[in-house]
Structure formats: structure tokens, C-alpha cells
């Protein structure tokens, strides 16, 4: 089978821990090179048996033997290097959040289309089939009419000094880091967009980033939703959907890989509980999906327009935090 030749733009921890191994497990992709501005590329290339290493991102982008790039750079650099990669004809898998606001993401998506390259934001969790199973259960009517959804993603960020997640100038903060998952899940599970949001946040006075955020959203189909995200609470990565006749809980929503890839869908109705376990390799599934899109010249299931809309909602959330008001979305 033909394989897409991927380049990794930086030696970021997420690349080394999750994505490079996932590329290795994928049947239609191979990591052909890795670039770093810190001088670590050669060392990481040797560690993962990657054929080429580069001392600059530009050098990699100029290599005709690289078909596509994975960008795990800090949030504020996503737009710059997506544009640069597209300008060199490279397809792009870019870490979430796609950028710092909706306008930036729109520019990225439109430029990639103009250059005829594929672009996908790397929300890996959505490629686990447990979420499609949730949508099937909702569609079947088993839990009645959906009235409410709640999503939570939190963890304790112990080491804060020098941590990029706490750097306001680089897109730090819990909303950008993990709140984006909760917002994404609510929009894509209930199949609706928020018409208004109200968010309160705990701001760190030293770093000027949100360490926790608590949000309310009213969706355009009448569903109400709450989300919370935090660097100050124990680990949770879950959502639940409440209907008129029952509820669905997904306790391993965003990180089923912490459980060997085993997702869990719990349906409760009329005092009866049913558990469904579904196993999948989310990072491998993500890599194989975007690689197949590139090979077939098709479109990703997760579109650029969807990524733009997610950033619109995140932007509205930050606006609500700043103004202390309810923000209306068109």
C-alpha cells in the first residue's frame, strides 16, 4: 500500500509520546522526517528510527520527499506554520486548537484550499467509535428527546513555572487546552451550534491565563449544555447526554487511550443500566483517516468549516469571561 510521507514539525512531547508511535502503527503513513529549531531533531530521529532530521522547519518544508506535516507547535504558531507548509504544497494535520481565534482559523482553512492541500485540526478523540455509538443511540430514540448535555475535561497541572500551558502570549489557558474538547463534543454530539454562551473563569493573577472555566451554552436546537475545564481539578474526561426518557454517560470520552483504547458507553433508562465497551486506537485512526484523505484526494470527515466554528465558540467564551456578559452567536 502507498504511504503518505509525513514530516514532524518540532520534537514536542505530544509528537514523541503519541503521534510518532501512531504513525508507526498506521498502514498508510510513515514518518519520513523530523525538524527542530532547538537542535533535538537528530536525537529524536535516532530514537524513533526516522530517516531524516532537519535543523530548521524551512529545510523540511523544502524537501520534495515530504508529502505532509504534523504541527504540534505552541498554539500561537499554528497559523504561521500552516500557511508556510501549505505554501510549500504540504498537507497538514495541526494540533488543537487550530489557532487563537476564528479569523485566523478561517485564513488557514481558506489558504489551504487555495493551495489545494488538505487541512485537519487534530481532535483525535472524535475518531473513537464510542461517539458514533452515542449518536446512534440518540437517533434511535432510546433516551427520548435530548434536553441537556454536560462535558468536563480537567487535570491538575502541578508544574506551572515555564509551562507553555500557562503562557498567555502563546495561547495558554484551560479553555484553549482542554475546554476546546468539551465544546467540540457538545457541538458534534448534539449536532447543533450555540446561540448564546456565558462563561466564568478563574484567572491566575501571575500568568493571566484561565486555570478553570465554567460555561453555559444554549444550542440552536433547544438543547441546553454546561461544560467545565480546569488545570486545578483531578482528572476527568467525560460527557453525559440527558434525554426525556434516559441518559448516556461516556466516562472515557476524551482519553480512552488511558484505558488501552477501551471506550465505555453507559445507558441508563427506567432504573436499568447497560454498558457497552468499544476498543479503538484513536491516534492511529486519526493518522490513517487524514492519510487516506490525502491518498484519495477526498475531504476529511472533520472539515475546516467545523474547526472554524469551534474557534468561534471558544472566542465567544473568552469574550464572555472578559466582559462578564452573555454572548450571542449568530
Amino acid at each position: 500500500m502507498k504511504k503518505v510521507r509525513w514530516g514532524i514539525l518540532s520534537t514536542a512531547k505530544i509528537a514523541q509520546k503519541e503521534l510518532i508511535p501512531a504513525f508507526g502503527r498506521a498502514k498508510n503513513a510513515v514518518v519520513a522526517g523530523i525538524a527542530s529549531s532547538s537542535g533535538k531533531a537528530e536525537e529524536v530521529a535516532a530514537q524513533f528510527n526516522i530517516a531524516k532530521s532537519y535543523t530548521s522547519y524551512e529545510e523540511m518544508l523544502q524537501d520534495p520527499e515530504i508529502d505532509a506535516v504534523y504541527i504540534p507547535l505552541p498554539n500561537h504558531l499554528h497559523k504561521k506554520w500552516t500557511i508556510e507548509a501549505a505554501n510549500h504544497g504540504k498537507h497538514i494535520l495541526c494540533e488543537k486548537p487550530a489557532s487563537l481565534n476564528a479569523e485566523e482559523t478561517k485564513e488557514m482553512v481558506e489558504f489551504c484550499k487555495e493551495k489545494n492541500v488538505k487541512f485537519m485540526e487534530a481532535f483525535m478523540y472524535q475518531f473513537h467509535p464510542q461517539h458514533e455509538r452515542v449518536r446512534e443511540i440518540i437517533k434511535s430514540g432510546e433516551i427520548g428527546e435530548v434536553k441537556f448535555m454536560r462535558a468536563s475535561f480537567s487535570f491538575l497541572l502541578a508544574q506551572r513555572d515555564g509551562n507553555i500551558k500557562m503562557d498567555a502570549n502563546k495561547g495558554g489557558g484551560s479553555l484553549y487546552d482542554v475546554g476546546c474538547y468539551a465544546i467540540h463534543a457538545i457541538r458534534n454530539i448534539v449536532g447543533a451550534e450555540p446561540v448564546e454562551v456565558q462563561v466564568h473563569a478563574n484567572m491566575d493573577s501571575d500568568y493571566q491565563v484561565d486555570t478553570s472555566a465554567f460555561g453555559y451554552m444554549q444550542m440552536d436546537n433547544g438543547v441546553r449544555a454546561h461544560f467545565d475545564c480546569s488545570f486545578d481539578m483531578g482528572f476527568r474526561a467525560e460527557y453525559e447526554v440527558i434525554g426525556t426518557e434516559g441518559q448516556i454517560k461516556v466516562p472515557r470520552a476524551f482519553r480512552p487511550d488511558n484505558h488501552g483504547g477501551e471506550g465505555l458507553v453507559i445507558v441508563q433508562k427506567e432504573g436499568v443500566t447497560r454498558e457497552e465497551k468499544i476498543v479503538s486506537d484513536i491516534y492511529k485512526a486519526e493518522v490513517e483517516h487524514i492519510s487516506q484523505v490525502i491518498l484519495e484526494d477526498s475531504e476529511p470527515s472533520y472539515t475546516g468549516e467545523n474547526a472554524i466554528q469551534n474557534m468561534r465558540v471558544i472566542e465567544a467564551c473568552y469574550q464572555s469571561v472578559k466582559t462578564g456578559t452573555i454572548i450571542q452567536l449568530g
Side-chain angles (χ1 to χ4, degrees):
M1 172 179 278
K2 189 176 179 186
K3 295 187 176 186
V4 176
R5 299 168 298 182
W6 286 85
I8 312 295
L9 224 64
S10 100
T11 55
K13 188 191 295 184
I14 180 79
Q16 294 189 54
K17 186 181 176 189
E18 305 293 358
L19 268 296
I20 294 174
F23 280 109
R25 298 191 298 272
K27 64 180 184 291
N28 57 0
V30 62
V31 176
I34 185 164
S36 174
S37 57
S38 65
K40 295 179 183 174
E42 190 175 350
E43 176 190 334
V44 176
Q47 180 186 343
F48 289 98
N49 198 27
I50 298 169
K52 293 184 178 181
S53 62
Y54 310 82
T55 55
S56 72
Y57 304 146
E58 292 90 346
E59 186 186 358
M60 171 186 280
L61 295 178
Q62 288 165 6
D63 188 342
E65 294 185 352
I66 299 294
D67 303 313
V69 295
Y70 165 61
I71 302 177
L73 293 165
N75 299 339
H76 72 300
L77 295 175
H78 289 178
K79 179 189 171 186
K80 171 182 169 60
W81 289 105
T82 292
I83 298 294
E84 288 287 338
N87 215 22
H88 284 83
K90 311 300 184 190
H91 305 286
I92 297 139
L93 176 65
C94 179
E95 263 309 328
K96 41 55 57 184
S99 67
L100 299 182
N101 57 60
E103 188 54 41
E104 281 191 359
T105 305
K106 186 167 182 270
E107 287 177 41
M108 291 157 68
V109 169
E110 288 181 352
F111 191 77
C112 287
K113 285 182 177 175
E114 183 186 315
K115 294 296 181 180
N116 199 30
V117 300
K118 308 301 178 186
F119 171 87
M120 191 174 81
E121 185 182 20
F123 270 113
M124 80 300 178
Y125 89 94
Q126 67 186 312
F127 290 94
H128 198 290
Q130 64 180 334
H131 309 295
E132 186 54 40
R133 180 64 187 130
V134 170
R135 284 187 284 264
E136 285 174 3
I137 294 167
I138 291 170
K139 190 176 179 181
S140 75
E142 183 177 355
I143 65 164
E145 183 184 352
V146 172
K147 292 292 186 180
F148 176 72
M149 181 168 173
R150 178 190 64 81
S152 303
F153 201 165
S154 67
F155 66 97
L156 182 62
L157 184 62
Q159 180 53 47
R160 303 197 174 188
D161 288 343
N163 194 312
I164 203 164
K165 297 179 190 295
M166 297 296 292
D167 192 329
N169 295 321
K170 296 180 179 177
S174 65
L175 254 172
Y176 276 138
D177 192 59
V178 283
C180 61
Y181 286 90
I183 291 164
H184 189 275
I186 290 167
R187 294 179 46 252
N188 288 284
I189 293 298
V190 305
E193 297 296 344
V195 290
E196 66 178 46
V197 301
Q198 184 171 20
V199 183
H200 299 282
N202 297 337
M203 301 296 294
D204 187 285
S205 56
D206 294 326
Y207 293 98
Q208 292 303 305
V209 300
D210 56 292
T211 54
S212 294
F214 309 88
Y216 160 82
M217 300 196 290
Q218 180 165 342
M219 312 304 283
D220 60 16
N221 63 354
V223 172
R224 311 279 176 146
H226 288 170
F227 74 85
D228 67 270
C229 55
S230 183
F231 295 157
D232 290 329
M233 295 190 270
F235 184 80
R236 296 168 306 139
E238 62 195 27
Y239 65 73
E240 62 180 329
V241 184
I242 315 295
T244 51
E245 298 174 34
Q247 61 186 348
I248 306 167
K249 294 183 179 180
V250 186
R252 303 170 183 174
F254 307 121
R255 294 301 307 270
D257 53 306
N258 288 347
H259 302 269
E262 184 183 81
L264 184 61
V265 177
I266 304 169
V267 183
Q268 295 176 325
K269 183 177 180 178
E270 296 173 351
V272 178
T273 300
R274 180 180 82 251
E275 290 189 359
E276 299 183 18
K277 294 178 179 178
I278 307 166
V279 178
S280 181
D281 182 340
I282 51 174
Y283 288 104
K284 174 175 175 274
E286 175 184 62
V287 165
E288 288 188 338
H289 177 73
I290 187 61
S291 297
Q292 201 59 32
V293 161
I294 292 166
L295 291 169
E296 294 176 348
D297 191 20
S298 56
E299 293 304 316
S301 58
Y302 178 45
T303 65
E305 287 68 30
N306 196 330
I308 294 166
Q309 185 59 23
N310 212 60
M311 285 309 308
R312 282 198 184 110
V313 180
I314 293 168
E315 202 172 356
C317 290
Y318 274 118
Q319 192 179 350
S320 179
V321 169
K322 187 176 180 179
T323 61
T325 62
I326 295 171
I327 303 299
Q328 307 289 332
L329 287 96

